[in-house]
Amino acid sequence: MARGSISQVDSPIKTRHPERNSIALDDNDAHEKRGNRSESSAATTLLEMDTLDGPRKLDYLDLEKQTADGSRPKDKPTHTRAKLTMWMTLNTIATVVIVFTNKAIFDDPSFRHSQVAFATFHLFITALTLYILSRPFVSLFIPNPIRLRPMLPLATTMCLNVIFQNLSLTYSSITFYQIARILFTPMVALINFLFYQKSIPRNAAFTLLPMCLGVFIISYYEPKSTAHPEAEQTSLLSVSLALTSVFIGSVYTVWIASYQRKFELNGFQLLYNQAPIGGVMLMVLIPWTDKLPAIQEAPANKWLMILFSGGLAALINLSQFFIIAGAGAVSSTVVGHVKTCAIVALGWIISRRPVTDRSAFGVILAITSIIV
């Protein structure tokens, strides 16, 4: 519409100076194309980049280095590196804190059966954050609306992913919850291999073996652990919920990559389309699935923690944008490893399990495999 109105207004100029008008329109088209290609993908991981062939991988990495206006960055000045470090630090702290905050919320019996409502709240917070970031006065990314029907399968999988993650966190220790999520990488590799005929390098495949073995050891010994009677115990239900969460999350991750290729969207544009749909879908289910606590019955500090959790979710989304835009998906993956190690270590300390606990070997094996 905007382009049509410009051509009408400029029609006299176009008659007198056709070359100049053609150049101007070509420049506008080029700028538009650069804008659509310049935003980095938030969902690409090291594993996904390994599955790309040579030219496509180089093209993707080249796009990851572009800035918001389509130009290629030169050597980053000191203040830019300082800002990037700040966003990485904030992202790491917010991710660690939100896990422990949500765990504290779900440990309260008043909120244990409000999983769908809590997920709905987070999806609407995400949608609001992305809406603000896409506005012209912020303009961190350009929205690319997609029709409702093709987005429904992905939005449904996203809702299931969020709910089962929360259920896994509710009924598991924090250490086991985070360690189980390490299985996302081998599960995504398996789905890609079985259904998309995509393979990963042999060396990368070998590193997945100790990762899976470590999670298996933890899954076996955690329910049996009685070394510390006050330590939170992980049950067979916890293991089942965690593995279900990993499977749904892995399918969701593979579908994200597929949708991004199909509709030519980056991670934030795709999430911008999903989050409102998912929030509405879950909101409809709340009366049949949740038992919401009365405001006066629930402790006031829990309501404050819920608001705090929503703020942390917004901060994570915002900081993730700057990390990927400024450092690329590889650095984002490294930040993810740091967060995993921090959550596992703090979770182990808070659970007051002794280092001699038999599941400790599994934790060390799994953590070592993702670092190596």
Side-chain angles (χ1 to χ4, degrees), residues 116-117 120 159 163 279-290:
V116 175
T120 303
C159 293
I163 291 173
V280 172
M281 291 172 63
L282 291 182
M283 186 170 60
V284 174
L285 296 177
I286 291 175
W288 288 274
T289 58
D290 286 16

Side-chain angles (χ1 to χ4, degrees), residues 53 71 117 175 182 186 205-206 213 215 222 234 239 261 273 304 315 324 340:
D53 53 24
S71 60
T175 299
I182 293 175
F206 285 148
L213 178 60
V215 176
E222 275 270 323
T234 297
V239 176
R261 290 191 299 268
N273 282 279
L304 293 176
L315 178 59
I324 293 179
T340 296

Side-chain angles (χ1 to χ4, degrees), residues 123-143 268 271-273 275-276 317:
L123 287 179
F124 279 132
I125 287 291
T126 300
L128 178 61
T129 303
L130 293 174
Y131 176 79
I132 294 174
L133 297 180
S134 68
R135 293 306 87 194
F137 61 88
V138 180
S139 192
L140 287 183
F141 71 95
I142 301 173
F268 289 92
L271 190 56
Y272 180 87
N273 282 279
N317 287 323

Side-chain angles (χ1 to χ4, degrees), residues 1 5 24 39 106 110 138 155 208 227 262 301 352:
M1 183 67 68
S5 61
E39 294 145 6
F106 294 142
S110 303
V138 180
L208 300 182
K262 181 178 180 180
N301 67 317
R352 291 179 288 183

Side-chain angles (χ1 to χ4, degrees), residues 4 98 251 288 368 371:
I98 198 173
V251 172
W288 288 274
T368 303
I371 294 175

Side-chain angles (χ1 to χ4, degrees), residues 92-115:
T92 301
I93 294 174
T95 303
V96 173
V97 173
I98 198 173
V99 170
F100 288 90
T101 301
N102 291 349
K103 179 63 174 175
I105 293 171
F106 294 142
D107 281 344
D108 190 308
S110 303
F111 294 96
R112 185 174 286 261
H113 302 292
S114 303
Q115 302 287 341

Side-chain angles (χ1 to χ4, degrees), residues 45-46 88 91-93 95-96 178 181-182 185 320 323-324 328-344 367 370-371:
T45 62
L46 269 175
M88 287 181 173
N91 181 273
T92 301
I93 294 174
T95 303
V96 173
Q178 193 64 31
R181 290 175 62 81
I182 293 175
T185 303
Q320 191 71 16
I323 291 172
I324 293 179
V330 176
S331 296
S332 178
T333 304
V334 173
V335 173
H337 293 341
V338 173
K339 291 185 287 190
T340 296
C341 295
I343 293 171
V344 169
I367 290 296
I370 67 170
I371 294 175

